[in-house]
Amino acid sequence: MRVYNFSPGPAMMPEPVLRRAAEEMLDYQGSGMSVMEMSHRSKVFMDIAANTEARLRSVMSIPDNYKVLFLQGGATLQFSMVPMNLLGRFRHADYAISGSFSNKAYKEAKKYGDIRVAGTSEDRGFAYIPQQVDLDLDGGAAYLHYCMNNTVYGSLWDYVPQTKNDVPLVCDMSSCILSEPVDVSKFGIIYAGAQKNMGPSGLTVVIIRDDLPGACLPYTPTWMDYAVQVKNGSMYNTPACYGIYLLGLTLEWLENLGGLAAMQKINREKAAMVYSVLDASDFYKTFIDKPYRSLMNITFKARNEELDAKFVKEATARGLINVKGYRDLGGMRTSIYNAMPVEGVRALTDFMKEFERENA
């Protein structure tokens, strides 16, 4: 029996995608081999990669003046690649810090240039999102970086920041990409690890405006030069072939659902089911101010740590797994990415109500 996996990543994948991959595991469309086995430069795989990129461009409405890269190293490697590639023109950049991963990105970028904190919500444990009026922006910065959805704390930016003087906006969308429509033209770079909404771990997607590659710092490793990856079509070395294939299947599944607008509607309905239980309860407490609640990662706790531990244990016994909160935050975290079905969320909310009745 399959469980409902509320892990923040690697996360659930759509069951139709897994079944399709299983059907094609030994023989991809008459090729006589698995996608895992074929050369990344073979015509069969080159078609897979091209079709995956075309689907991503269609689903996200990516403008023609943006390049799509299929890289590796997770979003974490982008914490280095972004400053290495963009600080060549201007040696300073702005970072908005609204959670764990934006803070890690900021600390990594400081190795390569003069990096300023343009805004932060650390003063209240990242319970809110810095607003536009509160951002201290440098009109001469190389870029402004932020993380749209904060996986650890469970918050979501309720707006897209505006920069001064057309400074490029760089966004880590790892835990919310493909969850709702996004105007790609507002960003200089969008990057995301695949293991939450796009497929398995190992693949990283970078969407970059075509005027940005080509001015990297002189000591940037060749593989980490966006211009090199663009020139080589993401194949300077062997890419994450199977991850690219599974991303293509996931995008096809999304198209069949009705695209990102339909996915957004489903995600809002799922999140509302959980938040309605939390808002009606004085047994549970949420970590995030209401206007900034994530649709992907919902964080909360019971009245004490003993009850939190009991909740996690009993949920796991019900087949509701990986609901334990991040080690720095405690409590519970239920990640309800695109592939989490409504039935899984209903099973979770039924358990939450039952647990409260039995332990209040």
Side-chain angles (χ1 to χ4, degrees):
M1 181 186 76
R2 280 180 63 77
V3 297
Y4 291 120
N5 180 11
F6 293 91
S7 169
M12 285 187 75
M13 289 183 58
E15 194 165 315
V17 169
L18 294 177
R19 293 188 181 279
R20 171 82 174 275
E23 291 170 2
E24 297 179 336
M25 176 59 74
L26 296 179
D27 182 4
Y28 172 76
Q29 297 187 5
S31 66
M33 66 182 110
S34 170
V35 176
M36 287 186 181
E37 304 171 295
M38 60 182 58
S39 167
H40 61 293
R41 301 196 184 279
S42 67
K43 183 182 185 307
V44 179
F45 182 76
M46 294 291 280
D47 286 346
I48 290 172
N51 289 336
T52 298
E53 178 178 340
R55 284 188 187 279
L56 184 64
R57 286 185 174 277
S58 175
V59 167
M60 291 189 67
S61 300
I62 299 174
D64 291 341
N65 64 320
Y66 284 74
K67 304 296 183 184
V68 174
L69 299 175
F70 297 134
L71 305 179
Q72 298 170 66
T76 301
L77 186 60
Q78 295 306 307
F79 298 169
S80 299
M81 285 186 71
V82 167
M84 280 185 172
N85 279 269
L86 299 191
L87 290 178
R89 294 188 179 95
F90 308 100
R91 293 300 180 100
H92 52 285
D94 285 348
Y95 276 66
I97 302 175
S98 56
S100 177
F101 291 106
S102 55
N103 195 30
K104 288 181 179 180
Y106 162 72
K107 290 178 179 178
E108 185 68 19
K110 288 177 68 177
K111 297 177 181 179
Y112 308 108
D114 179 17
I115 309 300
R116 299 171 61 252
V117 176
T120 180
S121 54
E122 190 171 9
D123 61 313
R124 287 187 46 226
F126 301 117
Y128 68 99
I129 295 298
Q131 293 300 287
Q132 180 72 49
V133 67
D134 299 318
L135 297 179
D136 178 21
L137 299 174
D138 179 359
Y143 60 92
L144 168 65
H145 178 283
Y146 81 113
C147 179
M148 182 176 285
N149 184 85
N150 299 288
T151 316
V152 169
Y153 293 90
S155 64
L156 173 70
W157 282 65
D158 59 325
Y159 70 102
V160 176
Q162 295 183 351
T163 63
K164 289 184 177 179
N165 302 334
D166 296 322
V167 167
L169 184 62
V170 177
C171 185
D172 178 354
M173 288 190 190
S174 292
S175 56
C176 62
I177 196 167
L178 300 182
S179 66
E180 61 181 353
V182 169
D183 184 353
V184 175
S185 69
K186 292 183 177 181
F187 301 88
I189 296 177
I190 293 170
Y191 66 86
Q195 66 272 16
K196 302 173 189 292
N197 267 338
M198 295 191 289
S201 61
L203 173 67
T204 307
V205 172
V206 175
I207 303 166
I208 182 168
R209 203 172 64 211
D210 60 12
D211 63 306
L212 293 178
C216 62
L217 296 171
Y219 48 80
T220 302
T222 303
W223 188 94
M224 295 174 66
D225 185 338
Y226 287 137
V228 169
Q229 293 292 357
V230 168
K231 181 180 179 181
N232 287 274
S234 303
M235 294 192 185
Y236 180 75
N237 70 324
T238 307
C241 296
Y242 206 69
I244 294 170
Y245 158 71
L246 286 173
L247 170 58
L249 296 187
T250 301
L251 290 165
E252 184 177 356
W253 170 78
L254 266 174
E255 289 173 338
N256 292 336
L257 279 179
L260 296 188
M263 192 74 256
Q264 180 185 48
K265 182 175 183 293
I266 295 170
N267 286 331
R268 286 179 174 175
E269 290 171 352
K270 291 189 301 184
M273 291 169 64
V274 182
Y275 285 124
S276 65
V277 173
L278 295 172
D279 289 340
S281 170
D282 55 11
F283 177 80
Y284 299 110
K285 180 181 179 181
T286 58
F287 292 96
I288 302 300
D289 294 354
K290 280 188 179 182
Y292 316 114
R293 288 172 166 177
S294 170
L295 301 182
M296 300 283 96
N297 313 101
I298 300 178
T299 56
F300 59 96
K301 60 183 178 180
R303 287 178 174 168
N304 55 57
E305 293 182 0
E306 290 75 17
L307 284 173
D308 290 345
K310 185 178 180 183
F311 183 102
V312 172
K313 182 179 180 180
E314 293 185 6
T316 302
R318 294 281 191 92
L320 309 170
I321 70 167
N322 292 318
V323 299
K324 185 177 181 180
Y326 190 73
R327 58 185 178 270
D328 292 343
L329 195 61
M332 280 72 72
R333 171 175 54 176
T334 57
S335 297
I336 51 175
Y337 299 120
N338 289 355
M340 174 60 68
V342 172
E343 293 77 13
V345 177
R346 186 173 296 114
L348 171 67
T349 55
D350 286 347
F351 171 73
M352 291 171 66
K353 294 173 187 176
E354 178 183 325
F355 188 84
E356 178 176 0
R357 286 195 301 270
E358 295 178 352
N359 295 277

